[in-house]
């Protein structure tokens, strides 16, 4: 009986973790998509005489958001693999 209770508790914890991962991933994905799209638009529409530092900062924001997007996808892949 104790083993079954422990197993049920562990399964509930895994389900809760997976549910949280999906919610966080979804919300994070929306924000990252907005950052990626906006940074791309800013880069394309910056005037030619824009300070080079500004262009580099926007590229840096885009690169960081790309990295976060890859990390998000890696987390989803791990959860998918664990789930079978």
């Amino acid at each position: 009986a104790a083993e079954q209770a422990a197993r049920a508790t562990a399964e509930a914890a895994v389900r809760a973790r997976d549910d949280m991962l999906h919610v966080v991933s979804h919300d994070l994905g929306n924000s990252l998509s907005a950052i990626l799209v906006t940074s791309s638009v800013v880069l394309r529409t910056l005037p030619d005489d824009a300070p080079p530092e500004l262009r580099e900062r926007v590229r840096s924001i885009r690169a960081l958001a790309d990295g976060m997007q890859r990390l998000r996808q890696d987390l989803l892949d791990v959860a998918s693999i664990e789930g079978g």
Side-chain angles (χ1 to χ4, degrees):
E3 183 180 326
Q4 287 178 338
R7 180 176 296 208
T9 300
E11 288 172 355
V14 168
R15 279 193 303 278
R17 180 202 64 188
D18 290 346
D19 290 346
M20 184 191 70
L21 178 61
H22 288 288
V23 168
V24 169
S25 175
H26 181 266
D27 291 348
L28 184 60
N30 288 339
S31 297
L32 287 172
S33 292
I35 293 168
L36 290 167
V37 167
T38 301
S39 61
S40 293
V41 170
V42 168
L43 281 173
R44 281 197 317 270
T45 59
L46 275 176
D48 292 339
D49 62 347
E53 310 85 49
L54 177 59
R55 192 173 302 279
E56 188 53 38
R57 287 182 183 149
V58 175
R59 283 188 185 123
S60 178
I61 290 168
R62 176 139 175 82
L64 290 168
D66 278 333
M68 292 173 70
Q69 190 76 293
R70 283 190 300 276
L71 177 59
R72 176 184 164 266
Q73 188 58 53
D74 289 348
L75 289 171
L76 290 173
D77 290 346
V78 167
S80 178
I81 289 167
E82 286 180 352

